[in-house]
Amino acid sequence: MSARWLDRALLDAVVAEAQRSPRRRMNRNFHPHDDHPAHRLLNAIEPDSYVRPHRHLDPLKDETILCVKGRLGCILFDDSGAVQETCVLAPGGERFGVDIAHGQFHSLVALEPGSVMFEAKAGPYRALTETEFASWAPVDGEPAQRWLDWMRGLFDGERMR
C-alpha cells in the first residue's frame, strides 16, 4: 500500500486500546519496524497514565509532538526538576504541538479522556537509559500517582473545557 488514511476510526481504535491497556496508553506505529530511520506514530493517552519525565540524549532524537485529539499538558523541566514551562496542546488551539530538542527533560499529561498525539523522531528505537529518565521523578507505583496528580494540577482550570 502506498498511502494510509489517518481518520476518526483510527483515532477511536487506538483510544479504545489505550483505555484497555494497564499503562493507559497505546502507540500505533506507522514506521515498519523499530530500526527504521524515521519513527512516526500515534500515541493515545488517558488522564491516569503516568509518563515519567525523561529526555533523549542522542542529538538525532529531537521529538515533535502534535495533539490530534483531546487536550494534552506539556511540561518542560530543568535538569534539577524545576518546571521551566507548561503549555496546553489542543487541535485548533493556540498551541497544538511542540518540538522538543534532545537533552530537554519533558513529560505529558492527558487533560481529558481519549487524548491522542502524533509523534515524530529519528529511529532506530532504543529504550531510554537510566540517565535519560529524570532521577528526581518516581518510577511507578504510589509515588508516581502523587507525581502524576501534581503534574495534572499544573493545569487546573485547563482540564475538560
Side-chain angles (χ1 to χ4, degrees), residues 27-89:
N27 288 0
R28 179 66 57 88
N29 295 345
F30 300 121
H31 49 282
H33 50 78
D34 284 348
D35 288 333
H36 197 270
H39 283 208
R40 301 152 341 268
L41 58 131
L42 292 176
N43 192 344
I45 181 170
E46 291 298 305
D48 55 348
S49 181
Y50 172 65
V51 178
R52 184 177 178 192
H54 63 281
R55 62 186 172 179
H56 305 278
L57 290 175
D58 184 333
L60 299 177
K61 296 284 187 180
D62 294 350
E63 183 175 20
T64 302
I65 297 169
L66 304 176
C67 183
V68 297
K69 184 177 186 295
R71 297 170 62 77
L72 300 168
C74 180
I75 308 156
L76 304 179
F77 300 92
D78 70 14
D79 289 348
S80 67
V83 175
Q84 291 180 308
E85 191 172 355
T86 63
C87 181
V88 173
L89 307 177

Side-chain angles (χ1 to χ4, degrees), residues 21 24 32 40 50 52 59 61 91 101 112-113 126 141 145 150:
S21 167
R24 305 291 284 157
R40 301 152 341 268
Y50 172 65
R52 184 177 178 192
K61 296 284 187 180
E112 61 184 61
R126 297 291 179 257
Q145 182 60 52
W150 172 77

